[in-house]
Amino acid sequence: MSHKSKIALFGAVFLLTIPFLSSAQTPVSGFYPKKNDLTIASSYTYKSYDRFYRGTTLTDAGPANMGTISSSIASVYGEYGIIDWLSTTVTIPYISTSNSEGVLDPIQGVDQVDGIQDLSLFLKAQAFKKTFENSSQLSIGGATGVTFPVGDYNESGILSLGNQATAIDGCGIIQYSTAINIFTEAQIGYSIRDNSDFEIPNAMLYSLKLGYYNDWIYAHAKLGIQDSTSGYDIATPEFDANGGPLGLPQTEVDYTNLYFDVYTPVYKKVVGVSAGYGINLNGRNYNQESSFTVGLVYKAN
């Protein structure tokens, strides 16, 4: 696989992370663009759930008798290579959330909420790269970024678009790629969240990925994990003492999600399409949701 083709293919890899920004995963991967490489991508994601974790107990129904709660997410993403080892990304999603029963959100008094959520800005740097005699490659780097609300949404409702927190994230990235283009990747990060009205729990973020690529396809399976460092469980005395549903942003939110994503170029390795599926494996004060994603990617260098 040529270096130019590899860079063109990898420019789309970042799109595959976009739909899950609401789950606090950083929009970066272990691949690095070259200087002046530009990726512009859009995606559409449909997510839904009809069961959720009350603390660590999986319920048999959605919250507040709302039935199935679904979200449509349209995201726009841009990534630019400042120099060969340093790049920047920007992401912003528009979200629409509603429930199948038409039940009003007990806090917001509506059965549908939509609007722009949070703007994310990240810098990513490659600190170390080594190619071995067997053509395998090891890369080590890191990323840091800030995510802040730009939409005037309510953070307390069941149908809320987000938690209205400004988050400062940092993560380390290590990736190993074999001579036959199979790669593994691990990330570990920390997210500091701040909201003037609520004590939003900070969280550890973990990611494990196994994938394959060639000139015409990129695919990976990924585990995305969040482990909050504080907070309380829904429907406990502490939850009630802190405002009940009004205090939802202060709950401890943990999860393990599994994602499958694929990308292929369709026009001169400049335009490509992607598709993905995600499912929740377990959680705490979280939704047992599944998601489907399609995307369109433009890459220039």
Side-chain angles (χ1 to χ4, degrees), residues 22-134:
S22 59
S23 297
Q25 295 297 299
T26 55
V28 296
S29 81
F31 296 111
Y32 297 85
K34 290 296 183 180
K35 181 179 179 179
N36 296 328
D37 282 356
L38 173 67
T39 298
I40 299 174
S42 61
S43 69
Y44 171 79
T45 298
Y46 178 81
K47 302 201 302 183
S48 66
Y49 70 95
D50 56 13
R51 306 175 74 193
F52 76 105
Y53 295 93
R54 190 190 302 268
T56 58
T57 302
L58 183 60
T59 65
D60 291 328
N65 298 314
M66 287 187 172
T68 299
I69 296 177
S70 60
S71 298
S72 295
I73 306 170
S75 294
V76 177
Y77 167 89
E79 187 261 351
Y80 179 72
I82 301 171
I83 50 180
D84 285 352
W85 56 270
L86 181 68
S87 62
T88 183
T89 67
V90 57
T91 309
I92 188 165
Y94 182 93
I95 304 175
S96 178
T97 300
S98 61
N99 71 86
S100 62
E101 301 301 315
V103 175
L104 301 183
D105 185 295
I107 304 300
Q108 301 180 84
V110 296
D111 63 0
Q112 179 173 329
V113 177
D114 49 56
I116 297 174
Q117 191 206 40
D118 303 333
L119 176 67
S120 295
L121 302 169
F122 276 81
L123 280 173
K124 183 179 66 171
Q126 185 179 56
F128 174 84
K129 179 180 178 181
K130 182 175 177 60
T131 301
F132 300 96
E133 291 183 0
N134 63 358

Side-chain angles (χ1 to χ4, degrees), residues 22-23 49 51-59 63 158 201 226 228 230-236 238-239 244 247-256 280 282-289:
S22 59
S23 297
Y49 70 95
R51 306 175 74 193
F52 76 105
Y53 295 93
R54 190 190 302 268
T56 58
T57 302
L58 183 60
T59 65
I158 294 173
Q226 173 173 295
S228 296
S230 62
Y232 45 80
D233 290 330
I234 294 174
T236 61
E238 188 177 12
F239 177 77
L248 278 173
Q250 300 176 136
T251 55
E252 178 179 354
V253 177
D254 303 332
Y255 60 78
T256 299
N280 169 258
N282 60 61
R284 183 176 193 142
N285 304 306
Y286 190 74
N287 312 319
Q288 194 184 54
E289 63 188 19

